[in-house]
Amino acid sequence: MAQNTVQPLSIAARKLQAEADAVLDQMFGYFTREEAPRVVVDNTRRAA
């Protein structure tokens, strides 16, 4: 049976992966955030 010889990631590779994960987390948070309720201000005047 062949042994699984996966090399551990270098520090630089781990740092790059962590940065990529942080960017993805930030993007996901941006697109899934809850929008604050917006107050609709109607400044238009209607003709009588």
Side-chain angles (χ1 to χ4, degrees):
M1 231 177 164
Q3 286 185 333
N4 189 0
T5 57
V6 175
Q7 294 288 332
L9 292 175
S10 67
I11 293 172
R14 280 184 265 163
K15 183 178 179 186
L16 186 63
Q17 185 65 49
E19 289 173 354
D21 287 344
V23 169
L24 289 174
D25 286 343
Q26 185 178 12
M27 289 172 59
F28 184 76
Y30 175 79
F31 287 111
T32 59
R33 72 173 188 241
E34 291 291 324
E35 291 290 336
R38 295 180 181 174
V39 177
V40 177
V41 178
D42 186 8
N43 290 331
T44 60
R45 297 176 190 259
R46 298 184 181 175

